[in-house]
Amino acid sequence: MAQTVFAPWDDPQQKPLIQFVNVTKRFGDFVAIDNLTQDIYEKEFFALLGPSGCGKTTMMRMLAGFEAPTEGSILLSGKDIAGVPPNKRAVNMMFQSYALFPHLSVWDNIAFGLRRSAMGKDEIAARVEEMLTLTRLGKFGRRKPHQISGGQRQRVALARSLAKAPKLLLLDEPLGALDKKLRQDTQFELMDIQETTGTTFVIVTHDQEEAMTVASRVAVMDEGRIIQVATPEKIYEAPNSVYVADFIGDVNILEGTAKANGDESYAVDWGNSVPAIAASQRPFSDGQKAHLAIRPEKIAISAERPADAVNAVQGKVLDIAYLGNLSTYHVELPTGQVIKAQSANTRRVSRRAYTWEDPVWLSWSATAGVLLEA
Amino acid sequence: MNRLSPFNVVSLTFGFAFLYLPMLILVIFSFNESKLVTVWAGFSTQWYGTLFQNEAFLDAAWVTLKVAVMSSTLATVLGTMAAYVLVRGGRFMGRTLFSGMIYAPLVMPEVITGLSLLLLFIGIGMDRGVMTIVLAHTTFSMCFVSVVVSSRLSTFDRSLEEAALDLGASQFDAFRLVTLPIIAPAVISGWLLAFTLSLDDLVIASFTTGPAATTLPMKIWSSVRLGVSPEINALSSILIGIVSVGVITASLLSKRHAVRVRREEQAAQRVT
Ligand SMILES: Nc1ncnc2c1ncn2[C@@H]1O[C@H](COP(=O)(O)OP(=O)(O)OP(=O)(O)O)[C@@H](O)[C@H]1O
Ligand SMILES: [Mg+2]
C-alpha cells in the first residue's frame, strides 16, 4: 500500500480551489449563511449535508454566481469572484429543480452549453452522444423533457452539467429521484468521472449513505453554519457534537456526568446502577455534563453477560426492526431507557436468537462510544 | 354533463342574444338581394362582389392592414421588452410606479389618448398619415401586449434562465434561446390582440390621421352617415370574420399548448 492518501486539506503547501472567507448571506433579515469560512481543494468530492433550509443551495448559488455574499468574499483559485457573472465562471451547476429547457429535446438540452463555446459541430455531437451513453439516455435523445420520467429528467440535468467538463461542478441533490440500483451505479460513475477528469465536485445530498460513498470530505451544516467538516470515517466515528452524531447515522446518546477514571478514561454516570466507562482524548472535568454517543452496531447483544465486557447492562427486547442484512433491537432497560443494538443477520430469521420480551445483555467496549460535551 | 335548469337556459339565451343578435342581423342582411337594408328580398352575394370593385374601400382596407401589421409588430416588441423588465428587472427605483403606469392607458378614454397624440404630432411637426396612426396604435396596444406577456412571465421558472447563463449563454442569448421560445404563445396572442385592436379602432385613428390615409373603420363611419348600404354590411361581416378568427386563434393557441403538454406528460408516465 504505497498509495498516498488524498488529503490536501492536511497539507499546508496546497492552495485551495475555493475559499469562503467569512461569508454571510442575508435575505432581508433572515441569515441564510452565517459567517462561514471554508476551503475546498482541487479534485475534492465535497459533500454538503444538512437539514432542509440550512443553506446548502444558497452556498451553491453563491458559487455559481446567482447570489452575491452580503458580507465576506468567495475566492476561486485565489481570485475574488464577486464581480464575475455566472456565464463567465468555469463552474456548472445541476439545479435541484433540474431546470431543463422544456422546448428543447434531450439532445439539444445537453448540447446547449457546448454550443455556447467554440466547439465544432462534430465535436459537440460526439460529446453529446458520450454523455447520453454515460447517463443511459441513448434512446431518449429526441424526446422533450416532459416526455420522459422524473428519474430520466434528473439524468438529463446531470448530463447537461457534465457536458462542458467544468473545473468545478455543483450538484444539488443529483440522484434523489433515482432508484437504489441506478443511484449506486451513477455514484460510481460520478467518482469515475471525477478521477478521470480531475473535476472538483461539490454535491448536496439528503442521503448520508451517498455522502459517505462518494465524498472525500463531508460538511454537516445547520442553520447556515458548518458544524463539522471531515472525511466520512471521521464524521461517522468521531463526530464533534451530538448534532453531528445524531445527524449521521443512527446513534444512542447516553446523557450523564463525567468523572475521571484513569488516563484518558472517564466513568459516565447515566442514571444506571453502573457507570459507563468511556475512553476520550477530549478532557472532561469531574461532574461535567457529557453525552456518550454509541452507534448501535457497536453494541453487542447476548443472552448471557459476556465475561470480559467493560460495559454491560441488562434489559428486555422491546422491538425488532428487520432490515434484511441487519436487525436493530430496541432494548428497554430497567430505568426505562431504550437502547438500540444492531447485529448482522448471518442466520435466517426463523432461527433468530432473540424475540420480543426476551431478557438480553447489551455490552460495549470503552472505545465504542464518543464522549461529547453537552 | 349537467343539464341546465330552465332558468339558466333563459338567462343564457337572453344574454347571448343581446350580445350577438345585432351582429347576426348584420351578417344576414349582408346577403340580402335588395338594396334596401331593412327589407329582405332573397339571398345573394352580389354586395360582396361590388365591394371588391369599390376602389375607395379597397384602399382603406389596404391602409388598415398596413397599419395593423406594423403597429401590432412594433407593439409586440416594445410590450414584451417592457414586460420583461418589469417582471425580471428585480427591484429598481420606481418599479411599482412603472408597472402601475403600464396599465393606465388601458383605462384611459380613447378620446384623450387620441387628442394627446394629435397634440404631440402637431407639436413635433410630424406629417399626419399612415405613420402617425401606426405610432398611435402602437402606443395603446403595447399596454395590452405587455399585460398578456407579463402574466406569462410571472409564472415562468426563473431557474431556466439561470441554467442558460450557467451554461455560458449571455443575457441576450438566454432570452433569445430560452425565454422567448417558451413564452412565444403569449407573445403571439399579444400580437393578435394588438392586431385586432388596431383593425377596429376608429377614434384614435381619426384623431391622428391626415388627409392621405383613411382606415376602414373611418371609411365605414363616413359612408354610414350618408346612409347604410348593403355593401357596408358585407364589409362589416368580413371584419367580424377576421376579428373572430384572430381572437379564437389567440385563445386556442394558449389552450392547445397546455393540452399538448399534459397529454405528452401522461404518455411519458405510461412509458416508464
Ligand atoms: N431568495 C430567497 N429569499 C429569501 N429567503 C431565501 C431565498 N433563498 C433561500 N432562502 C432561505 O434561505 C434558507 C436556506 O435555503 P436553501 O435553499 O439554501 O436551503 P437548502 O439547504 O438547500 O434546503 P433543501 O435541502 O430543502 O434544498 C431557507 O430558509 C430559505 O427559505
Ligand atoms: Mg436546496
Side-chain angles (χ1 to χ4, degrees):
Chain A
M1 287 285 277
Q3 203 178 1
T4 50
V5 183
F6 176 74
W9 48 88
D10 286 336
D11 181 356
Q13 300 291 306
Q14 288 279 343
K15 293 261 172 295
L17 178 69
I18 306 161
Q19 288 167 282
F20 281 83
V21 184
N22 299 108
V23 173
T24 296
K25 175 71 193 175
R26 285 194 207 94
F27 294 107
D29 287 339
F30 181 80
V31 182
I33 298 291
D34 189 2
N35 193 18
L36 185 140
T37 298
Q38 178 62 46
D39 291 349
I40 298 172
Y41 292 84
E42 207 169 320
K43 299 189 185 162
E44 259 208 84
F45 212 126
F46 194 86
L48 291 173
L49 215 57
S52 186
C54 69
K56 305 180 295 290
T57 300
T58 306
M59 264 184 86
M60 295 277 208
R61 290 175 59 79
M62 287 196 290
L63 281 172
F66 301 126
E67 307 281 359
T70 317
E71 281 159 31
S73 50
I74 301 173
L75 312 183
L76 187 68
S77 309
K79 279 194 283 290
D80 194 331
I81 51 172
V84 186
N87 50 347
K88 296 272 169 11
R89 295 187 185 190
V91 174
N92 282 150
M93 174 155 168
M94 178 186 163
F95 288 72
Q96 196 168 8
S97 59
Y98 314 153
L100 298 178
F101 306 129
H103 60 299
L104 298 181
S105 68
V106 166
W107 208 98
D108 290 325
N109 262 283
I110 299 173
F112 189 93
L114 302 172
R115 290 193 175 127
R116 305 299 127 231
S117 63
M119 227 181 201
K121 249 198 159 84
D122 299 338
E123 249 180 301
I124 292 178
R127 182 76 180 149
V128 173
E129 292 300 334
E130 195 185 326
M131 287 298 121
L132 286 172
T133 317
L134 181 71
T135 48
R136 293 187 222 168
L137 288 165
K139 280 187 293 182
F140 303 103
R142 298 258 72 83
R143 299 251 196 118
K144 294 278 180 64
H146 59 259
Q147 295 167 316
I148 57 178
S149 75
Q152 290 163 347
R153 273 177 226 168
Q154 196 166 42
R155 282 182 277 153
V156 177
L158 183 63
R160 189 179 67 179
S161 62
L162 282 171
K164 286 188 96 172
K167 205 156 123 190
L168 173 62
L169 193 54
L170 309 171
L171 306 174
D172 201 345
E173 304 223 15
L175 313 175
L178 306 185
D179 57 74
K180 193 165 176 169
K181 177 84 178 63
L182 189 54
R183 184 187 317 193
Q184 281 176 348
D185 288 354
T186 316
Q187 282 168 5
F188 286 116
E189 262 154 29
L190 281 181
M191 287 152 74
D192 262 2
I193 292 165
Q194 208 258 359
E195 245 151 61
T196 49
T197 61
T199 305
T200 306
F201 281 68
V202 177
I203 181 172
V204 166
T205 171
H206 268 126
D207 178 1
Q208 32 151 318
E209 207 177 306
E210 179 168 297
M212 295 293 185
T213 315
V214 298
S216 61
R217 279 194 300 170
V218 177
V220 180
M221 295 184 66
D222 186 31
E223 295 184 348
R225 275 167 300 135
I226 291 183
I227 308 295
Q228 186 176 12
V229 189
T231 59
E233 302 92 279
K234 275 238 186 71
I235 285 268
Y236 190 77
E237 299 292 347
N240 69 357
S241 58
V242 174
Y243 177 81
V244 173
D246 206 22
F247 195 81
I248 307 279
D250 223 353
V251 75
N252 294 297
I253 304 281
L254 312 185
E255 296 178 25
T257 51
K259 186 163 169 284
N261 180 43
D263 196 24
E264 288 187 351
S265 176
Y266 297 88
V268 182
D269 177 10
W270 56 298
N272 237 287
S273 51
V274 278
I277 306 298
S280 170
Q281 278 160 15
R282 199 175 291 139
F284 285 82
S285 56
D286 283 358
Q288 186 181 348
K289 282 225 176 320
H291 289 222
L292 181 59
I294 316 173
R295 301 282 177 200
E297 73 274 10
K298 301 232 159 60
I299 298 183
I301 184 164
S302 54
E304 306 292 328
R305 188 186 200 286
D308 53 350
V310 178
N311 298 295
V313 286
Q314 198 179 23
K316 65 173 199 285
V317 177
L318 195 66
D319 207 355
I320 305 171
Y322 177 66
L323 306 170
N325 51 345
L326 298 169
S327 285
T328 304
Y329 296 90
H330 293 238
V331 176
E332 191 176 20
L333 305 184
T335 54
Q337 287 156 304
V338 176
I339 303 258
K340 282 173 279 185
Q342 210 166 51
S343 66
N345 287 326
T346 45
R347 297 199 253 164
R348 293 289 301 273
V349 181
S350 53
R351 294 201 278 134
R352 192 160 51 195
Y354 319 104
T355 183
W356 290 268
E357 300 293 327
D358 275 359
V360 289
W361 280 90
L362 299 177
S363 57
W364 63 94
S365 70
T367 52
V370 184
L371 202 54
L372 299 165
E373 281 156 36
Chain B
M1 269 302 205
N2 280 336
R3 285 201 42 184
L4 288 174
S5 72
F7 174 74
N8 287 347
V9 172
V10 171
S11 321
L12 202 67
T13 315
F14 269 100
F16 274 83
F18 195 77
L19 276 175
Y20 288 100
L21 209 55
M23 282 192 239
L24 192 66
I25 291 171
L26 186 146
V27 174
I28 290 170
F29 274 92
S30 74
F31 294 103
N32 192 358
E33 171 97 59
S34 161
K35 203 169 166 55
L36 295 166
V37 185
T38 46
V39 182
W40 182 257
F43 181 83
S44 155
T45 54
Q46 61 165 322
W47 302 115
Y48 287 89
T50 56
L51 178 67
F52 285 106
Q53 265 133 44
N54 189 330
E55 287 280 330
F57 274 139
L58 288 183
D59 275 352
W62 179 234
V63 169
T64 309
L65 201 66
K66 267 196 303 195
V67 169
V69 169
M70 282 195 279
S71 71
S72 57
T73 307
L74 208 56
T76 304
V77 173
L78 293 175
T80 304
M81 276 161 53
Y84 190 78
V85 173
L86 289 175
V87 176
R88 276 286 183 278
R91 319 228 129 259
F92 57 87
M93 264 278 285
R95 177 170 177 269
T96 323
L97 183 67
F98 277 118
S99 43
M101 272 164 65
I102 202 113
Y103 293 95
L106 296 183
V107 292
M108 195 67 75
E110 283 187 320
V111 180
I112 293 178
T113 311
L115 186 62
S116 61
L117 282 164
L118 175 63
L119 292 178
L120 175 74
F121 293 140
I122 292 172
I124 61 173
M126 203 166 169
D127 280 342
R128 272 158 293 140
V130 171
M131 268 332 285
T132 45
I133 311 178
V134 168
L135 288 179
H137 280 184
T138 305
T139 312
F140 87 98
S141 54
M142 183 195 131
C143 316
F144 289 86
V145 174
S146 94
V147 168
V148 172
V149 173
S150 60
S151 83
R152 174 68 187 89
L153 272 177
S154 59
T155 61
F156 181 87
D157 182 4
R158 181 100 206 238
S159 64
L160 292 178
E161 273 166 25
E162 290 180 340
L165 292 178
D166 187 66
L167 292 164
S170 61
Q171 285 274 353
F172 178 67
D173 274 351
F175 178 76
R176 185 173 63 95
L177 298 169
V178 175
T179 316
L180 195 56
I182 296 171
I183 62 166
V187 174
I188 293 171
S189 29
W191 187 88
L192 284 168
L193 190 60
F195 184 84
T196 43
L197 283 171
S198 166
L199 211 59
D200 67 18
D201 167 68
L202 171 63
V203 178
I204 292 175
S206 309
F207 270 104
T208 54
T209 189
T214 308
T215 64
L216 216 42
M218 286 160 66
K219 184 74 195 159
I220 295 171
W221 174 241
S222 59
S223 20
V224 165
R225 280 193 298 190
L226 306 173
V228 181
S229 77
E231 242 175 340
I232 298 283
N233 282 350
L235 179 59
S236 307
S237 301
I238 293 175
L239 277 181
I240 291 174
I242 294 175
V243 172
S244 319
V245 168
V247 172
I248 292 170
T249 316
S251 66
L252 281 189
L253 215 63
S254 40
K255 193 161 174 186
R256 215 191 46 193
H257 181 71
V259 169
R260 204 188 58 210
V261 167
R262 199 165 345 119
R263 209 182 32 233
E264 282 173 340
E265 261 173 13
Q266 280 163 357
Q269 263 144 29
R270 272 201 302 279
V271 168
T272 51

